[in-house]
């Protein structure tokens, strides 16, 4: 009898551990998923036949803005910059230059903390404070939202849906892979080879000490233009959805 009870406890314990591990695995998958979330729209690319593409830059602003804007200007390309609230406060002049040059500005939270396992008031404050700061630098157009590291679980998508906002992600992220990130040429080649109509390219040029990403921008633009692509802001791309 005692042996049987022990066996039952052991089976219950093992089942519990397996269930916990499964729950953790599923949660992690949802946090990182590029295609699924519990509420609202999630955009990794726009489904269109047109050869259009969006260039998006995450984080900052930093002084690197002064290197990025002339490249875009020379190619007559409008990009979308997902800026961090507390960094706009550090570099308001750079943020203003982005807006004045006619690029789109998106909200990338105030602190760049992961918006996972955070309370609704915390999420609301992170997003609304940043909207306010973006307005204060003189930007008047639509503000899209992109979560730090693309991570989200339940409350962030819930909050965004309540506010009629989508989660804007990407389908091309060359900086993520060390083999691709090692030079401007490998970054550009990867993007040019993998771009599809409606793709959203994510680049991280704001803390780019080696300059690989910044130098890849012109190559990416020239390469995609020669394949017949035109560049759109995220808002313009979404209109084709
Ligand atoms: Zn980021």
């Amino acid at each position: 009898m005692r042996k049987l009870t022990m066996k039952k406890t052991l089976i219950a314990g093992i089942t519990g551990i397996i269930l916990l591990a499964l729950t953790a695995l599923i949660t992690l998958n949802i946090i990182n998923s590029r295609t699924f979330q519990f509420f609202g729209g999630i955009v990794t690319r726009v489904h269109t036949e047109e050869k259009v593409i969006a260039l998006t830059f995450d984080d900052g602003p930093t002084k690197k803005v002064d290197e990025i804007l002339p490249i875009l200007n020379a190619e007559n390309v409008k990009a979308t910059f997902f800026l961090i609230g507390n960094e706009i406060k550090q570099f308001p002049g750079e943020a203003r230059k982005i807006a004045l040059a006619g690029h789109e500005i998106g909200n990338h939270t105030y602190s760049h903390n992961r918006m996972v396992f955070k309370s609704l008031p915390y999420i609301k404050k992170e997003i609304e404070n940043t909207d306010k700061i973006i307005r204060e630098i003189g930007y008047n157009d639509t503000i899209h939202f992109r979560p730090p590291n693309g991570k989200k679980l339940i409350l962030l998508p819930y909050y965004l849906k309540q506010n009629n906002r989508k989660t804007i992600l990407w389908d091309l992220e060359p900086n993520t892979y060390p083999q691709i990130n090692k030079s401007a040429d490998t970054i550009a080649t990867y993007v040019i080879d993998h771009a599809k109509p409606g793709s959203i390219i994510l680049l991280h040029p704001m803390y780019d000490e080696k300059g690989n990403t910044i130098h890849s921008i012109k190559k990416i633009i020239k390469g995609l233009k020669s394949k017949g692509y035109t560049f759109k802001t995220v808002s313009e791309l979404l209109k084709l959805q």
Side-chain angles (χ1 to χ4, degrees), residues 22-155:
L22 264 176
T23 310
L25 194 69
I26 291 167
T27 307
L28 196 69
N29 264 300
I30 294 169
I31 289 171
N32 290 311
S33 174
R34 300 272 182 262
T35 48
F36 172 80
Q37 64 183 13
F38 288 110
F39 304 97
I42 185 166
V43 180
T44 48
R45 63 178 270 253
V46 164
H47 295 275
T48 171
E49 306 278 292
E50 266 183 72
K51 280 194 159 182
V52 288
I53 201 153
L55 195 49
T56 70
F57 302 112
D58 274 15
D59 309 337
T62 64
K63 287 281 171 198
K64 297 286 179 193
V65 168
D66 296 322
E67 293 176 46
I68 301 162
L69 292 183
I71 300 168
L72 298 174
N73 189 38
E75 291 295 331
N76 197 22
V77 162
K78 296 287 181 257
T80 304
F81 291 76
F82 287 92
L83 302 180
I84 302 168
N86 69 22
E87 297 197 359
I88 298 174
K89 284 201 148 180
Q90 287 174 53
F91 296 97
E94 313 303 315
R96 239 171 251 125
K97 284 179 201 168
I98 296 171
L100 276 173
H103 299 288
E104 185 158 300
I105 294 182
N107 182 326
H108 199 40
T109 75
Y110 184 80
S111 65
H112 204 266
N113 288 329
R114 290 177 179 196
M115 296 294 117
V116 173
F117 306 122
K118 298 285 193 295
S119 71
L120 208 51
Y122 180 91
I123 289 168
K124 184 175 154 98
K125 202 173 146 205
E126 282 277 329
I127 296 176
E128 287 188 4
N129 270 352
T130 305
D131 278 347
K132 194 169 152 259
I133 294 165
I134 291 171
R135 292 299 179 214
E136 279 166 7
I137 57 139
Y139 178 79
N140 300 314
D141 287 327
T142 309
I143 303 175
H144 286 293
F145 177 79
R146 175 176 281 166
N149 307 104
K151 300 199 189 300
K152 71 266 160 312
L153 188 57
I154 296 170
L155 291 179

